[in-house]
Amino acid sequence: MNRFENKIIIITGAAGGIGASTTRRIVSEGGKVVIADYSREKADQFAAELSNSGADVRPVYFSATELKSCKELITFTMKEYGQIDVLVNNVGGTNPRRDTNIETLDMDYFDEAFHLNLSCTMYLSQLVIPIMSAQGGGNIVNVASISGITADSNGTLYGASKAGVNLTKYIATQTGKKNIRCNAVAPGLILTPAALNNLNEEVRKIFLGQCATPYLGEPQDVAATIAFLASEDARYITGQTIVVDGGLTIHNPTINL
């Protein structure tokens, strides 16, 4: 398939985890990707690897907590390619040492957490909408989380900010007549390097025990869903959040899986 032939795609947090898998998937289908990542070194290395395989990619430094960096990312992409067809708002996360339960979380961390997980998504979307509209259309895919749908004993700021990715419905409603679609993907536990480093085997077994599938998700599972929503295969889908969690959130706690 070449669903992204002649398409320019921005992916934030593109040098690792779900972002890297999404980048690989989209370039394999002919897309040209701007690899936006906070780690210059990882972005450069990843871009070099893909370029050596024949992909058309551009690495760029990107800080999701700085609105100025959002502007610079859009300016860079337009200078390099002259168009933006798809924006994948993938970057996100919080520091688990500061983002704890409601009684002990660090409220001084609120602004940074919400900038990273929500403000960045909102502002980049705002910046690309006029460009996409002038081109005759475009596509935005936001990466939410089941943490914005369900709750946990920690990660309060992450869950609250990811719940704000309901912004997806507002973008879809307000830009649909401009031929711009906007959807979201809400992953459950995905075996990214970050998850493997932060969650021990015992915790992963607990998640697996609650999944309807006999396995936990891999980054490429989410990448496949993002690629579908970003493609014309999903041309009549907008304003939706697709949960990619192996059935983790579909059942009552009384079910013994």
Side-chain angles (χ1 to χ4, degrees):
M1 293 187 294
N2 280 322
R3 294 185 295 184
F4 299 104
E5 189 173 7
N6 300 318
K7 300 289 187 183
I8 308 303
I9 298 92
I10 296 174
I11 302 176
T12 63
I18 291 170
S21 287
T22 303
T23 301
R24 291 185 190 279
R25 178 61 183 259
I26 285 178
V27 298
S28 76
E29 297 191 35
K32 302 175 183 179
V33 177
V34 174
I35 299 171
D37 202 278
Y38 187 75
S39 173
R40 296 175 190 269
E41 183 179 1
K42 284 174 62 178
D44 288 344
Q45 290 176 349
F46 189 37
E49 174 199 333
L50 294 175
S51 295
N52 289 337
S53 299
D56 189 337
V57 297
R58 302 285 190 280
V60 62
Y61 168 79
F62 175 67
S63 174
T65 60
E66 301 173 26
L67 295 184
K68 178 183 176 183
S69 191
C70 293
K71 278 189 174 181
E72 291 171 347
L73 172 57
I74 301 306
T75 298
F76 173 86
T77 304
M78 291 302 290
K79 180 179 179 182
E80 291 293 312
Y81 290 113
Q83 69 187 68
I84 300 170
D85 299 291
V86 178
L87 167 65
V88 179
N89 285 308
N90 166 68
V91 71
T94 53
N95 182 341
R97 290 187 296 274
R98 301 181 72 184
D99 184 13
T100 57
N101 63 55
I102 188 64
E103 295 181 273
T104 61
L105 67 81
D106 182 357
M107 282 302 297
D108 290 334
Y109 186 49
F110 180 94
D111 285 350
E112 184 177 341
F114 270 72
H115 267 291
L116 180 63
N117 293 301
L118 185 56
S119 297
C120 168
T121 293
M122 183 178 289
Y123 193 41
L124 280 178
S125 299
Q126 184 185 68
L127 292 171
V128 301
I129 285 167
I131 296 169
M132 290 179 174
S133 179
Q135 294 170 177
N139 203 318
I140 299 170
V141 182
N142 299 323
V143 178
S145 171
I146 63 165
S147 295
I149 302 170
T150 60
D152 206 337
S153 57
N154 289 294
T156 309
L157 290 171
Y158 181 74
S161 56
K162 283 298 188 179
V165 183
N166 187 52
L167 165 72
T168 297
K169 293 184 184 294
Y170 282 81
I171 295 172
T173 298
Q174 295 166 8
T175 65
K177 297 303 183 185
K178 297 179 180 181
N179 197 30
I180 298 171
R181 292 189 298 109
C182 183
N183 291 288
V185 176
L189 175 59
I190 304 298
L191 297 178
T192 62
L196 292 170
N197 289 335
N198 290 296
L199 298 177
N200 61 38
E201 183 66 24
E202 182 179 350
V203 174
R204 296 201 295 271
K205 284 182 178 179
I206 292 172
F207 274 90
L208 179 59
Q210 292 298 313
C211 284
T213 57
Y215 46 81
L216 292 172
E218 301 282 350
Q220 55 264 34
D221 297 317
V222 184
T225 308
I226 292 172
F228 165 68
L229 290 173
S231 76
E232 285 301 299
D233 286 343
R235 64 183 294 272
Y236 204 49
I237 300 173
T238 194
Q240 303 303 308
T241 297
I242 308 300
V243 177
V244 184
D245 70 349
L248 180 69
T249 58
I250 64 173
H251 55 79
N252 291 326
T254 52
I255 297 297
N256 184 6
L257 295 175

